[in-house]
Amino acid sequence: CAKLIALIYPSIILIPMSLSSNYLDAFYEVARQKNFSLAAKKLHITQSALSQRVMNLEQEIGSTLFIQD
């Protein structure tokens, strides 16, 4: 299960415009499903690939997006 950490409006302004749509799709689907395994299935990728995309997005924006239980 994943819990979304609320993003504060000013931090959204700082997100680079060159973010990969794969990273954003991964973030969106995990937030929507609230579960990495289900999100990976929905995106037709492995859970490992999904986790990597989320980690890459977190590194690019310099913020933690999810806390995994």
Side-chain angles (χ1 to χ4, degrees), residues 1-4 30 33-37 47 66-69:
C1 183
K3 295 178 183 174
L4 174 64
V30 173
Q33 298 291 334
K34 298 180 179 68
N35 182 292
F36 274 75
S37 295
Q47 185 175 344
F66 297 102
I67 298 174
Q68 296 186 47
D69 293 335

mmCIF file of all heavy atoms in Angstrom, residues 1-4 30 33-37 47 66-69:
data_model
loop_
_atom_site.group_PDB
_atom_site.id
_atom_site.type_symbol
_atom_site.label_atom_id
_atom_site.label_comp_id
_atom_site.label_asym_id
_atom_site.label_seq_id
_atom_site.Cartn_x
_atom_site.Cartn_y
_atom_site.Cartn_z
ATOM 1 N N CYS A 1 0.850 -1.179 0.000
ATOM 2 C CA CYS A 1 0.000 0.000 0.000
ATOM 3 C C CYS A 1 0.897 1.244 0.000
ATOM 4 O O CYS A 1 1.914 1.291 0.654
ATOM 5 C CB CYS A 1 -0.897 -0.028 1.219
ATOM 6 S SG CYS A 1 -2.047 1.340 1.291
ATOM 7 N N ALA A 2 0.537 2.213 -0.742
ATOM 8 C CA ALA A 2 1.323 3.446 -0.808
ATOM 9 C C ALA A 2 0.465 4.614 -0.378
ATOM 10 O O ALA A 2 -0.694 4.705 -0.706
ATOM 11 C CB ALA A 2 1.837 3.665 -2.224
ATOM 12 N N LYS A 3 1.055 5.515 0.373
ATOM 13 C CA LYS A 3 0.345 6.717 0.797
ATOM 14 C C LYS A 3 0.948 7.911 0.069
ATOM 15 O O LYS A 3 2.149 8.091 0.027
ATOM 16 C CB LYS A 3 0.482 6.915 2.304
ATOM 17 C CG LYS A 3 -0.186 5.830 3.105
ATOM 18 C CD LYS A 3 0.012 6.057 4.578
ATOM 19 C CE LYS A 3 -0.599 4.911 5.349
ATOM 20 N NZ LYS A 3 -0.312 5.011 6.770
ATOM 21 N N LEU A 4 0.111 8.703 -0.473
ATOM 22 C CA LEU A 4 0.554 9.875 -1.216
ATOM 23 C C LEU A 4 0.869 10.991 -0.240
ATOM 24 O O LEU A 4 0.092 11.292 0.647
ATOM 25 C CB LEU A 4 -0.549 10.322 -2.177
ATOM 26 C CG LEU A 4 -0.339 11.612 -2.946
ATOM 27 C CD1 LEU A 4 0.861 11.465 -3.876
ATOM 28 C CD2 LEU A 4 -1.568 11.940 -3.765
ATOM 29 N N VAL A 30 -0.010 4.956 -9.553
ATOM 30 C CA VAL A 30 0.196 4.524 -8.158
ATOM 31 C C VAL A 30 -0.713 5.329 -7.232
ATOM 32 O O VAL A 30 -1.339 4.770 -6.322
ATOM 33 C CB VAL A 30 1.671 4.655 -7.725
ATOM 34 C CG1 VAL A 30 1.823 4.372 -6.230
ATOM 35 C CG2 VAL A 30 2.559 3.711 -8.522
ATOM 36 N N GLN A 33 -4.323 3.961 -7.856
ATOM 37 C CA GLN A 33 -4.542 2.589 -7.370
ATOM 38 C C GLN A 33 -4.223 2.428 -5.878
ATOM 39 O O GLN A 33 -4.685 1.481 -5.251
ATOM 40 C CB GLN A 33 -3.683 1.598 -8.174
ATOM 41 C CG GLN A 33 -3.984 1.528 -9.646
ATOM 42 C CD GLN A 33 -5.331 0.914 -9.943
ATOM 43 O OE1 GLN A 33 -5.874 0.125 -9.176
ATOM 44 N NE2 GLN A 33 -5.899 1.291 -11.072
ATOM 45 N N LYS A 34 -3.351 3.319 -5.366
ATOM 46 C CA LYS A 34 -2.866 3.220 -3.978
ATOM 47 C C LYS A 34 -2.163 1.885 -3.719
ATOM 48 O O LYS A 34 -2.180 1.357 -2.607
ATOM 49 C CB LYS A 34 -4.006 3.434 -2.983
ATOM 50 C CG LYS A 34 -4.636 4.800 -3.068
ATOM 51 C CD LYS A 34 -5.750 4.953 -2.061
ATOM 52 C CE LYS A 34 -6.373 6.319 -2.115
ATOM 53 N NZ LYS A 34 -7.108 6.603 -3.319
ATOM 54 N N ASN A 35 -1.535 1.366 -4.784
ATOM 55 C CA ASN A 35 -0.889 0.065 -4.696
ATOM 56 C C ASN A 35 0.064 -0.092 -5.887
ATOM 57 O O ASN A 35 -0.353 0.046 -7.035
ATOM 58 C CB ASN A 35 -1.969 -1.023 -4.717
ATOM 59 C CG ASN A 35 -1.419 -2.402 -4.573
ATOM 60 O OD1 ASN A 35 -0.739 -2.907 -5.463
ATOM 61 N ND2 ASN A 35 -1.720 -3.032 -3.449
ATOM 62 N N PHE A 36 1.334 -0.387 -5.596
ATOM 63 C CA PHE A 36 2.324 -0.503 -6.655
ATOM 64 C C PHE A 36 2.053 -1.701 -7.566
ATOM 65 O O PHE A 36 2.216 -1.606 -8.774
ATOM 66 C CB PHE A 36 3.740 -0.592 -6.066
ATOM 67 C CG PHE A 36 4.360 0.746 -5.799
ATOM 68 C CD1 PHE A 36 3.963 1.516 -4.720
ATOM 69 C CD2 PHE A 36 5.348 1.248 -6.625
ATOM 70 C CE1 PHE A 36 4.533 2.749 -4.472
ATOM 71 C CE2 PHE A 36 5.930 2.487 -6.387
ATOM 72 C CZ PHE A 36 5.513 3.237 -5.310
ATOM 73 N N SER A 37 1.668 -2.837 -6.993
ATOM 74 C CA SER A 37 1.420 -4.032 -7.810
ATOM 75 C C SER A 37 0.264 -3.822 -8.782
ATOM 76 O O SER A 37 0.367 -4.165 -9.968
ATOM 77 C CB SER A 37 1.112 -5.235 -6.915
ATOM 78 O OG SER A 37 2.234 -5.569 -6.140
ATOM 79 N N GLN A 47 6.600 -4.586 -11.460
ATOM 80 C CA GLN A 47 6.595 -3.728 -10.282
ATOM 81 C C GLN A 47 7.958 -3.055 -10.115
ATOM 82 O O GLN A 47 8.047 -1.897 -9.714
ATOM 83 C CB GLN A 47 6.236 -4.532 -9.039
ATOM 84 C CG GLN A 47 6.089 -3.674 -7.791
ATOM 85 C CD GLN A 47 5.614 -4.466 -6.596
ATOM 86 O OE1 GLN A 47 5.109 -5.579 -6.722
ATOM 87 N NE2 GLN A 47 5.775 -3.897 -5.421
ATOM 88 N N PHE A 66 5.937 9.145 -2.347
ATOM 89 C CA PHE A 66 5.189 8.084 -1.683
ATOM 90 C C PHE A 66 5.978 7.549 -0.508
ATOM 91 O O PHE A 66 7.199 7.491 -0.548
ATOM 92 C CB PHE A 66 4.899 6.918 -2.632
ATOM 93 C CG PHE A 66 4.044 7.266 -3.807
ATOM 94 C CD1 PHE A 66 4.609 7.453 -5.056
ATOM 95 C CD2 PHE A 66 2.670 7.401 -3.672
ATOM 96 C CE1 PHE A 66 3.818 7.765 -6.152
ATOM 97 C CE2 PHE A 66 1.885 7.723 -4.746
ATOM 98 C CZ PHE A 66 2.448 7.909 -5.998
ATOM 99 N N ILE A 67 5.251 7.108 0.512
ATOM 100 C CA ILE A 67 5.841 6.357 1.618
ATOM 101 C C ILE A 67 5.234 4.971 1.540
ATOM 102 O O ILE A 67 4.015 4.830 1.621
ATOM 103 C CB ILE A 67 5.543 7.000 2.982
ATOM 104 C CG1 ILE A 67 6.151 8.394 3.056
ATOM 105 C CG2 ILE A 67 6.061 6.106 4.110
ATOM 106 C CD1 ILE A 67 5.790 9.157 4.305
ATOM 107 N N GLN A 68 6.073 3.961 1.373
ATOM 108 C CA GLN A 68 5.565 2.587 1.263
ATOM 109 C C GLN A 68 5.529 1.949 2.645
ATOM 110 O O GLN A 68 6.459 2.089 3.427
ATOM 111 C CB GLN A 68 6.454 1.767 0.330
ATOM 112 C CG GLN A 68 6.443 2.274 -1.087
ATOM 113 C CD GLN A 68 7.218 1.364 -2.005
ATOM 114 O OE1 GLN A 68 7.048 0.143 -1.961
ATOM 115 N NE2 GLN A 68 8.044 1.941 -2.837
ATOM 116 N N ASP A 69 4.422 1.266 2.921
ATOM 117 C CA ASP A 69 4.289 0.553 4.199
ATOM 118 C C ASP A 69 4.998 -0.760 4.129
ATOM 119 O O ASP A 69 5.116 -1.385 3.145
ATOM 120 C CB ASP A 69 2.805 0.309 4.513
ATOM 121 C CG ASP A 69 2.068 1.607 4.792
ATOM 122 O OD1 ASP A 69 2.701 2.581 5.207
ATOM 123 O OD2 ASP A 69 0.837 1.610 4.593
#
